[in-house]
Amino acid sequence: MTATQADLRIDRPSVADGAALWRIAKESGTLDVNSSYSYLLWCRDFAATSAVARAEDGEPVGFVTGYIRPEAPETLLVWQVAVDDAYRGRGLAATLLDALTDRVAAEHPLATVETTITPGNTASERLFTSYAARHGADVTREVLFGTDLFPDGPHDPEVLYRIGPLTSA
């Protein structure tokens, strides 16, 4: 039996969550998986701009990682969003994204959310376009990193989705 969203708690990740975030990303089947070390660092250094959904036992079952862009301090760049397979299809990714942006906006000005999505990732496209609609924001798209920039073999382009201005976060 799987839990409902009501059984989940959303909060900041801790270093102890790094391994679970790495596993969820790896098992997603769509994300570029970073080293396990990078998830540990992310949970340490960017916990304030990231969120984790926890099951009743405290184990992470979903996450969103992000950071405030240094050159654009009112912009949250969302790096990755992933939900454990057993919890997919319940709107948890949208709940995580809303909770994170609400928290970030409460701590400092937030006018824009950015993310990159590879063409064909319809789940991410739907997540971020529905986020824009919920927050009364426009979405612009442009290729941020073309295929020729990736040194490690064939990689689809990364399309920048810029969502803003936000009317409510």
Side-chain angles (χ1 to χ4, degrees):
M1 179 177 187
T2 60
T4 66
Q5 276 198 50
D7 299 324
L8 302 176
R9 178 174 44 96
I10 297 175
D11 63 11
R12 295 174 193 231
S14 70
V15 171
D17 297 323
L21 272 58
W22 176 81
R23 177 194 56 79
I24 293 167
K26 183 177 176 186
E27 293 174 357
S28 74
T30 57
L31 292 178
D32 285 339
V33 181
N34 301 294
S35 71
S36 57
Y37 174 69
S38 70
Y39 291 91
L40 295 170
L41 282 175
W42 204 279
C43 289
R44 185 190 78 165
D45 294 342
F46 297 104
T49 52
S50 299
V52 64
R54 298 182 189 284
E56 287 183 351
D57 64 1
E59 186 65 21
V61 297
F63 70 89
V64 57
T65 54
Y67 62 89
I68 299 297
R69 289 195 54 218
E71 299 82 17
E74 293 185 356
T75 298
L76 174 69
L77 184 289
V78 174
W79 180 261
Q80 289 187 320
V81 180
V83 174
D84 186 273
D85 189 51
Y87 292 83
R88 290 185 193 152
R90 298 185 178 100
L92 182 55
T95 299
L96 276 162
L97 187 56
D98 286 343
L100 175 61
T101 56
D102 286 348
R103 178 167 33 93
V104 170
E107 294 174 2
H108 48 283
L110 181 62
T112 307
V113 170
E114 292 182 345
T115 194
T116 62
I117 302 173
T118 55
N121 184 341
T122 55
S124 288
E125 291 168 353
R126 278 187 234 143
L127 172 65
F128 286 95
T129 56
S130 67
Y131 174 86
R134 285 193 309 279
H135 295 273
D138 293 326
V139 181
T140 60
R141 297 166 185 84
E142 65 183 85
V143 173
L144 181 63
F145 301 122
T147 58
D148 59 321
L149 294 176
F150 292 92
D152 57 348
H155 192 291
D156 289 332
E158 290 286 347
V159 178
L160 177 68
Y161 281 58
R162 184 174 290 117
I163 301 166
L166 301 174
T167 57
S168 64

